[in-house]
């Protein structure tokens, strides 16, 4: 018998009707033995997430204000689930304890974590599974980072004692024994950590979309779904702005060799997106896997004749950036030119000082900073094997009348990154999508 860890997001557990769907999904496969719930999310676009209500309670308590009206909204959310499902849980007892602790000033992490905690208690009762509190098995170190080794050991041990378990997402325990949360959206991370500790065969991440799409649906109408993506490709796509999973949810499963399957709670028959390893048997229908990108980068262009003969030029250039606390994204470079792409925000208010310092350290012929650059990554594991990818891509951009200001192809041949004017961003994404994905067009 294998183990599948199933994490359900906030919209998948937003009310009693969603709880019913979750139960059906879990009971449809005996391998689904560990479930990681989020806090109840939005039931409609105007609704408020329970986590946000808890943060608000904490803010009010810290300001010495009355938390009761906000807390009543939280209590009503949990009551509507417990009552409709006729759960046998002393919900008022739990709510009372949580309210008192928030009022005593237990802090933002404690307050925010209670959405997952209470939802976990309700779900465990509804399923008849054991409740495992992550405060006893997920640990953070002094710096607030996950203590992987300790977590792996303790959580692994705990999970072995339960055949079927509910482990709330989003939080663990700090070095003083207090609740500590991950960053927002962190239940994804808990799911991955739990999958690793349980030595699961699969990490299922159930959400309200049927997986990843080949491009942003706000830019391309009805983009094709991605059926299979490797962890490396996903990293490239999410780095460039495609939001699928929390960034930190990839590492624990990736190093443990566990694939991830993104599924839709509202459409459980759809296969979703499978995230795995380089595999010849997962040929994509298209030459590329996906397109992602975002706006508002700046490019620093430094020119100096015979730069290649000068030892330490690159190091001194990066030193100037480091001194200003600016981290760089890419460094596409020519023979006598070195370019550094940074986020526009990170150079705001520092441009003059930076240019001055580059002059001091590197004595270049010229330094220019241009803002308003958008970067677009076209990602695909198939690129290594296919010919003519860049020709097709640049041809498409040329036909769309788009001027390419930066070109960068990673040495892994997993992506081609182009930089265009912010104003051309959407058109460029659409042109690339059409070039690679729309079948009826001839090239
Ligand atoms: N409930 C938390 C949040 O809203 C964590 C999560 O849902 O993943 O950020």
């Amino acid at each position: 018998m294998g183990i599948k860890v199933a994490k359900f997001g906030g919209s998948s557990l937003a009310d009693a009707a969603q709880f019913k769907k979750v139960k059906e999904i879990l009971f449809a496969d005996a391998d689904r033995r560990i479930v990681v719930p989020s806090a109840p999310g939005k039931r409609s676009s105007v609704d408020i997430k329970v986590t946000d209500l808890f943060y608000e309670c904490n803010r009010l308590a810290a300001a010495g204000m009355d938390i009761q009206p906000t807390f009543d909204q939280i209590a009503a959310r949990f009551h509507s689930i417990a009552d409709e499902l006729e759960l046998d849980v002393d919900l008022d007892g739990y709510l009372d304890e949580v309210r008192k602790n928030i009022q005593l000033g237990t802090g933002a992490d404690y307050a925010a974590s209670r959405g997952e905690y209470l939802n976990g208690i309700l779900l465990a009762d509804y399923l008849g599974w054991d409740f495992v509190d992550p405060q006893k098995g997920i640990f953070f170190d002094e710096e607030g980072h996950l203590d992987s080794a300790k977590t792996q050991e303790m959580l692994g041990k705990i999970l072995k004692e339960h055949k079927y378990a509910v482990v709330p997402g989003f939080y663990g325990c700090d070095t003083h024994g207090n609740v500590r949360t991950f960053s927002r959206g962190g239940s994804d991370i808990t799911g991955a950590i739990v999958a690793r500790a349980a030595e699961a065969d699969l990490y299922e991440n159930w959400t309200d979309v049927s997986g990843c799409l080949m491009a942003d649906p706000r830019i391309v109408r009805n983009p094709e779904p991605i059926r299979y993506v490797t962890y490396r490709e996903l990293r490239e796509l999410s780095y460039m702005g495609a939001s699928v999973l929390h960034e930190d949810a990839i590492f624990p499963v990736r190093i443990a060799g566990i694939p991830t399957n993104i599924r839709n709670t509202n459409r459980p028959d759809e296969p979703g997106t499978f995230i795995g390893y380089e595999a010849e048997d997962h040929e994509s229908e298209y030459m590329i896997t996906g397109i992602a990108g975002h706006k508002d980068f700046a490019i620093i262009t430094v020119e100096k004749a015979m730069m290649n003969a000068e030892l330490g030029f690159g190091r001194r250039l990066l030193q100037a950036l480091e001194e200003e606390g600016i981290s760089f994204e890419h460094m596409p470079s020519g023979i006598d030119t070195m370019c550094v792409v940074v986020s526009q925000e990170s150079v705001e208010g520092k441009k003059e000082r930076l240019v001055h310092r580059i002059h001091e350290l590197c004595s270049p012929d010229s330094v220019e900073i241009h803002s308003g650059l958008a970067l677009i990554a076209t990602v695909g594991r198939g690129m290594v094997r296919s010919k003519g990818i860049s020709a097709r891509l640049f041809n498409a951009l040329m036909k769309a009348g788009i001027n390419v200001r930066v070109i960068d192809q990673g040495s892994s041949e997993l992506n081609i990154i182009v930089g265009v004017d912010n104003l051309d961003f959407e058109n460029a994404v659409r042109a690339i999508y059409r070039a690679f994905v729309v079948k009826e067009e001839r090239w």
Side-chain angles (χ1 to χ4, degrees), residues 111-329:
S113 72
R114 295 305 89 180
E116 269 72 9
Y117 170 79
L118 293 167
N119 229 17
I121 286 179
L122 298 190
L123 186 61
D125 187 77
Y126 183 49
L127 300 171
W129 291 12
D130 299 340
F131 176 83
V132 171
D133 194 337
Q135 206 178 341
K136 299 199 175 76
I138 295 183
F139 299 95
F140 291 85
D141 63 18
E142 288 288 354
E143 272 99 56
H145 300 129
L146 176 75
D147 185 337
S148 290
K150 187 171 172 190
T151 298
Q152 178 69 9
E153 192 198 325
M154 301 294 284
L155 191 60
K157 253 189 224 155
I158 296 173
L159 291 174
K160 283 208 168 66
E161 292 162 12
H162 304 273
K163 186 154 185 213
Y164 295 101
V166 177
V167 188
F170 194 36
Y171 72 95
C173 181
D174 71 9
T175 49
H176 305 287
N178 299 321
V179 168
R180 164 118 207 169
T181 55
F182 292 104
S183 54
R184 293 302 303 266
S187 296
D188 279 351
I189 312 173
T190 308
I193 292 168
V194 168
R196 184 180 176 199
E199 295 172 19
D201 306 290
L202 182 66
Y203 171 31
E204 291 182 333
N205 192 294
W206 292 84
T207 173
D208 51 11
V209 291
S210 296
C212 320
L213 300 170
M214 289 188 78
D216 187 337
R218 288 166 301 185
I219 301 175
V220 171
R221 202 173 335 124
N222 291 329
E224 291 286 316
I226 302 179
R227 290 280 167 246
Y228 189 92
V229 59
T230 67
Y231 278 112
R232 284 174 68 211
E233 289 175 305
L234 186 73
R235 164 84 185 116
E236 307 263 351
L237 288 167
S238 34
Y239 170 77
M240 288 302 283
S243 60
V244 193
L245 281 173
H246 192 296
E247 263 206 322
D248 298 339
I250 296 176
F251 181 72
V253 271
R254 184 177 172 176
I255 56 159
I258 302 167
T260 300
N261 190 191
I262 302 183
R263 301 285 294 268
N264 188 345
T265 305
N266 306 316
R267 295 183 181 195
D269 297 336
E270 294 186 359
T273 298
F274 204 84
I275 310 163
Y277 293 81
E278 319 305 316
E280 297 292 327
D281 52 334
H282 283 104
E283 282 296 337
S284 163
E285 197 180 331
Y286 306 104
M287 276 177 175
I288 64 165
T289 303
I291 306 161
H294 59 105
K295 295 182 182 177
D296 296 333
F297 289 96
I299 183 160
I300 306 163
T301 308
V302 184
E303 280 192 13
K304 185 169 190 182
M306 304 301 288
M307 146 189 314
N308 59 317
E310 205 176 307
L311 204 62
F313 187 90
R315 182 185 51 74
R316 289 196 299 279
L317 172 59
L318 293 181
Q319 181 187 334
L321 287 156
E322 192 177 345
E323 284 175 6
E324 289 296 334
I326 301 166
S327 84
F328 76 92
E329 313 282 332

Side-chain angles (χ1 to χ4, degrees), residues 4 10 40 46 56 74 85 104 107 116 118-119 136 164 211 248 293 313 317 347 351 369 392 411 414 420 443:
K4 289 180 184 163
V46 291
E56 177 61 4
I74 296 173
L85 300 177
L104 285 172
E116 269 72 9
L118 293 167
N119 229 17
K136 299 199 175 76
Y164 295 101
D248 298 339
F313 187 90
L317 172 59
V347 286
K351 283 187 191 161
I369 303 183
R392 189 185 278 222
S411 51
L414 200 62
V420 300
W443 295 90

